[in-house]
Amino acid sequence: MKRSRPPSIRLRRLAAELKRLRVAAALRQEEVAEQTGLDASSIYRIERAMNKPQRRTVTTLLDLYGVTDPGRRATLLDWLKDPGQQTWIKEFTPELPEIYGAYVGFEHEAESLRWTASMFVPALLQTEEYARALLSEGAKVVPTDVAQRATVRMHRQSILYRPIPARLWVILDEAVLRRVVGSPELMHRQLDKLVASAGRPNIRLQVVPFSEGVHLGMEGDFVMLDFADPNDPPLVYADGLAGVALREKAEDVARFAAIFDTIAEHALPPGESRTMIESAARALV
C-alpha cells in the first residue's frame, strides 16, 4: 500500500467512510486487525488516508462491516480508481509538484474557497499575462514551465464559471494592489479583472488597507477549501516561509478558520474594497 503523492479527494472520502463503517459496527481498530489479519497500523493509516489500500483489502473490510448492497460496494471500490481529475489536468500532472497537483484536484472539487493574499493576486483571479510575469520574475522557472503553469492557472479558473460555480471569498492586502507586476499597463489590466470579478455573485472580494497596520494575513497566504459532500472534510493549503503544505487535521482547519475571520474583521466591506481597487487602477493610467 504505497502512496506516491498526497491523497486524492476520493481517497480521503473512502478513508472517512471506512472509519464511519467501523465505528457503526462497534469495532475497534485492533478488533478489525484480529478478524481480518490486517495489521492494526495499516487500519490506522487507511482511515487517515495515509495509504491507498488494495482492492482486496477494501473488499475484506466491507465484508466485515456488513456492507452487502452491490451498488454501495461498487461506489466505495470505485473511489480506489483514478480520482476523476478533469481531463486537462492529466496533461500537466507529471510536471507539477506533488502537493500542488493534489491541491488542484481538491480545488476542482471544492464548493467554496476562502483565500487570503498578502503579496500577489490569487491564481483564480489572475490574468494570463500577470501569471506569466509573476512566474517569470519569481522562482527560476524555464520558459516552457512558465507557459505550462500559466495555462494550468487559467484552466483552474473554470471552477468560477461552471453551471454551479464555486464560491470564492478573497481578502487581499492593499500591497497586492500597489505592487506593480510586469508593467503599469499589465497591472492596470489585472486590476480591471479584479473589479470585474468583484461584480460576480459568487465572488466576495475585500481589501485590508494599509491604515490597518500589521495583521495576521501578513504571516503567509492560505486558502481554505470546503466541499459539498459531507464525507469530504475541509482542508487548508498554506503557503509560508517554510513552504507549502496541505492541512487536514480538524484542529488545524479550525485554527486557520479563526485566523481568516480575524483578518476579515480588518478588511473593508466589498463595496469600499471595489472602490479602492478602481482607484489603484486609475493611478496606473
Short mmCIF file of all heavy atoms in Angstrom, two decimals, residues 45-69:
data_model
loop_
_atom_site.label_atom_id
_atom_site.label_comp_id
_atom_site.label_asym_id
_atom_site.label_seq_id
_atom_site.Cartn_x
_atom_site.Cartn_y
_atom_site.Cartn_z
N ARG A 45 -3.64 3.83 9.16
CA ARG A 45 -3.17 4.63 8.03
C ARG A 45 -4.22 4.71 6.94
O ARG A 45 -4.35 5.74 6.27
CB ARG A 45 -1.85 4.04 7.50
CG ARG A 45 -0.70 4.14 8.48
CD ARG A 45 0.56 3.49 7.94
NE ARG A 45 1.10 4.24 6.82
CZ ARG A 45 1.87 5.32 6.94
NH1 ARG A 45 2.17 5.80 8.13
NH2 ARG A 45 2.33 5.95 5.87
N ILE A 46 -4.97 3.64 6.74
CA ILE A 46 -6.04 3.66 5.74
C ILE A 46 -7.10 4.68 6.13
O ILE A 46 -7.57 5.46 5.30
CB ILE A 46 -6.67 2.26 5.58
CG1 ILE A 46 -5.69 1.32 4.87
CG2 ILE A 46 -7.98 2.34 4.81
CD1 ILE A 46 -6.13 -0.12 4.86
N GLU A 47 -7.49 4.68 7.40
CA GLU A 47 -8.55 5.58 7.86
C GLU A 47 -8.11 7.04 7.90
O GLU A 47 -8.96 7.94 7.98
CB GLU A 47 -9.04 5.15 9.25
CG GLU A 47 -9.79 3.82 9.22
CD GLU A 47 -10.40 3.47 10.56
OE1 GLU A 47 -10.18 4.21 11.54
OE2 GLU A 47 -11.12 2.45 10.63
N ARG A 48 -6.83 7.28 7.85
CA ARG A 48 -6.33 8.67 7.81
C ARG A 48 -5.88 9.06 6.40
O ARG A 48 -5.25 10.10 6.22
CB ARG A 48 -5.17 8.84 8.80
CG ARG A 48 -5.60 8.73 10.26
CD ARG A 48 -4.43 8.94 11.20
NE ARG A 48 -3.89 10.28 11.10
CZ ARG A 48 -4.34 11.33 11.77
NH1 ARG A 48 -5.37 11.18 12.58
NH2 ARG A 48 -3.77 12.52 11.65
N ALA A 49 -6.21 8.21 5.40
CA ALA A 49 -5.85 8.45 4.00
C ALA A 49 -4.34 8.59 3.81
O ALA A 49 -3.87 9.29 2.91
CB ALA A 49 -6.56 9.68 3.47
N MET A 50 -3.59 7.92 4.67
CA MET A 50 -2.13 7.95 4.57
C MET A 50 -1.63 6.88 3.60
O MET A 50 -0.49 6.94 3.15
CB MET A 50 -1.51 7.75 5.95
CG MET A 50 -1.86 8.86 6.94
SD MET A 50 -1.37 8.47 8.64
CE MET A 50 0.41 8.52 8.48
N ASN A 51 -2.47 5.88 3.34
CA ASN A 51 -2.13 4.83 2.40
C ASN A 51 -3.33 4.54 1.50
O ASN A 51 -4.48 4.62 1.95
CB ASN A 51 -1.76 3.53 3.12
CG ASN A 51 -0.37 3.57 3.69
OD1 ASN A 51 -0.18 3.92 4.84
ND2 ASN A 51 0.61 3.20 2.89
N LYS A 52 -3.05 4.18 0.27
CA LYS A 52 -4.11 3.73 -0.63
C LYS A 52 -4.21 2.22 -0.50
O LYS A 52 -3.27 1.50 -0.86
CB LYS A 52 -3.80 4.12 -2.07
CG LYS A 52 -4.88 3.67 -3.06
CD LYS A 52 -4.54 4.09 -4.47
CE LYS A 52 -5.60 3.61 -5.46
NZ LYS A 52 -5.28 4.02 -6.84
N PRO A 53 -5.32 1.70 0.03
CA PRO A 53 -5.44 0.25 0.22
C PRO A 53 -5.64 -0.48 -1.10
O PRO A 53 -6.10 0.08 -2.09
CB PRO A 53 -6.67 0.12 1.13
CG PRO A 53 -7.50 1.31 0.77
CD PRO A 53 -6.50 2.42 0.50
N GLN A 54 -5.30 -1.76 -1.10
CA GLN A 54 -5.56 -2.59 -2.25
C GLN A 54 -7.05 -2.92 -2.31
O GLN A 54 -7.76 -2.87 -1.30
CB GLN A 54 -4.74 -3.87 -2.18
CG GLN A 54 -3.24 -3.64 -2.24
CD GLN A 54 -2.44 -4.93 -2.15
OE1 GLN A 54 -3.00 -6.01 -1.97
NE2 GLN A 54 -1.13 -4.81 -2.27
N ARG A 55 -7.52 -3.27 -3.47
CA ARG A 55 -8.93 -3.56 -3.66
C ARG A 55 -9.40 -4.69 -2.73
O ARG A 55 -10.46 -4.61 -2.12
CB ARG A 55 -9.20 -3.91 -5.13
CG ARG A 55 -10.68 -4.17 -5.45
CD ARG A 55 -10.86 -4.57 -6.91
NE ARG A 55 -12.25 -4.82 -7.23
CZ ARG A 55 -13.11 -3.90 -7.62
NH1 ARG A 55 -12.72 -2.64 -7.75
NH2 ARG A 55 -14.37 -4.22 -7.88
N ARG A 56 -8.58 -5.76 -2.63
CA ARG A 56 -8.99 -6.88 -1.79
C ARG A 56 -9.06 -6.49 -0.31
O ARG A 56 -9.85 -7.06 0.44
CB ARG A 56 -8.05 -8.07 -2.00
CG ARG A 56 -6.60 -7.86 -1.55
CD ARG A 56 -5.82 -9.17 -1.66
NE ARG A 56 -4.42 -9.02 -1.30
CZ ARG A 56 -3.46 -8.72 -2.15
NH1 ARG A 56 -3.77 -8.53 -3.43
NH2 ARG A 56 -2.21 -8.61 -1.75
N THR A 57 -8.25 -5.52 0.09
CA THR A 57 -8.30 -5.06 1.48
C THR A 57 -9.63 -4.36 1.75
O THR A 57 -10.28 -4.60 2.77
CB THR A 57 -7.14 -4.09 1.77
OG1 THR A 57 -5.90 -4.78 1.59
CG2 THR A 57 -7.22 -3.56 3.19
N VAL A 58 -10.03 -3.49 0.83
CA VAL A 58 -11.31 -2.79 0.99
C VAL A 58 -12.46 -3.80 0.96
O VAL A 58 -13.41 -3.69 1.76
CB VAL A 58 -11.50 -1.73 -0.12
CG1 VAL A 58 -12.88 -1.08 -0.01
CG2 VAL A 58 -10.41 -0.67 -0.03
N THR A 59 -12.39 -4.78 0.08
CA THR A 59 -13.44 -5.80 0.00
C THR A 59 -13.55 -6.55 1.33
O THR A 59 -14.65 -6.81 1.83
CB THR A 59 -13.14 -6.80 -1.14
OG1 THR A 59 -13.11 -6.10 -2.38
CG2 THR A 59 -14.20 -7.88 -1.20
N THR A 60 -12.41 -6.89 1.91
CA THR A 60 -12.39 -7.58 3.19
C THR A 60 -13.04 -6.73 4.28
O THR A 60 -13.83 -7.24 5.10
CB THR A 60 -10.95 -7.93 3.60
OG1 THR A 60 -10.39 -8.82 2.63
CG2 THR A 60 -10.90 -8.58 4.97
N LEU A 61 -12.72 -5.45 4.30
CA LEU A 61 -13.29 -4.55 5.30
C LEU A 61 -14.80 -4.40 5.12
O LEU A 61 -15.56 -4.39 6.10
CB LEU A 61 -12.60 -3.19 5.23
CG LEU A 61 -11.11 -3.18 5.65
CD1 LEU A 61 -10.51 -1.79 5.40
CD2 LEU A 61 -10.96 -3.56 7.12
N LEU A 62 -15.24 -4.28 3.88
CA LEU A 62 -16.67 -4.14 3.62
C LEU A 62 -17.43 -5.40 4.03
O LEU A 62 -18.55 -5.31 4.56
CB LEU A 62 -16.91 -3.84 2.13
CG LEU A 62 -16.36 -2.51 1.61
CD1 LEU A 62 -16.69 -2.34 0.12
CD2 LEU A 62 -16.91 -1.34 2.40
N ASP A 63 -16.81 -6.55 3.83
CA ASP A 63 -17.43 -7.80 4.29
C ASP A 63 -17.58 -7.79 5.80
O ASP A 63 -18.65 -8.14 6.34
CB ASP A 63 -16.58 -9.01 3.87
CG ASP A 63 -16.61 -9.27 2.37
OD1 ASP A 63 -17.53 -8.76 1.71
OD2 ASP A 63 -15.70 -9.97 1.87
N LEU A 64 -16.53 -7.39 6.49
CA LEU A 64 -16.56 -7.35 7.95
C LEU A 64 -17.60 -6.36 8.47
O LEU A 64 -18.29 -6.62 9.47
CB LEU A 64 -15.18 -6.99 8.49
CG LEU A 64 -15.04 -6.88 10.01
CD1 LEU A 64 -15.36 -8.21 10.68
CD2 LEU A 64 -13.65 -6.40 10.39
N TYR A 65 -17.72 -5.22 7.80
CA TYR A 65 -18.64 -4.18 8.26
C TYR A 65 -20.08 -4.42 7.81
O TYR A 65 -20.96 -3.60 8.08
CB TYR A 65 -18.16 -2.81 7.75
CG TYR A 65 -16.77 -2.42 8.22
CD1 TYR A 65 -15.98 -1.55 7.46
CD2 TYR A 65 -16.23 -2.92 9.40
CE1 TYR A 65 -14.71 -1.19 7.87
CE2 TYR A 65 -14.95 -2.57 9.82
CZ TYR A 65 -14.20 -1.71 9.05
OH TYR A 65 -12.94 -1.35 9.45
N GLY A 66 -20.30 -5.49 7.09
CA GLY A 66 -21.66 -5.83 6.71
C GLY A 66 -22.24 -5.03 5.57
O GLY A 66 -23.46 -4.87 5.46
N VAL A 67 -21.38 -4.50 4.70
CA VAL A 67 -21.85 -3.75 3.54
C VAL A 67 -22.13 -4.76 2.42
O VAL A 67 -21.20 -5.25 1.77
CB VAL A 67 -20.82 -2.70 3.08
CG1 VAL A 67 -21.34 -1.94 1.88
CG2 VAL A 67 -20.48 -1.75 4.22
N THR A 68 -23.39 -5.08 2.21
CA THR A 68 -23.78 -6.11 1.24
C THR A 68 -24.41 -5.56 -0.03
O THR A 68 -24.45 -6.24 -1.05
CB THR A 68 -24.76 -7.10 1.89
OG1 THR A 68 -25.92 -6.38 2.35
CG2 THR A 68 -24.10 -7.82 3.06
N ASP A 69 -24.89 -4.33 0.01
CA ASP A 69 -25.55 -3.76 -1.16
C ASP A 69 -24.55 -3.62 -2.31
O ASP A 69 -23.52 -2.94 -2.16
CB ASP A 69 -26.13 -2.39 -0.81
CG ASP A 69 -26.79 -1.73 -2.02
OD1 ASP A 69 -27.91 -2.15 -2.39
OD2 ASP A 69 -26.17 -0.84 -2.61
#
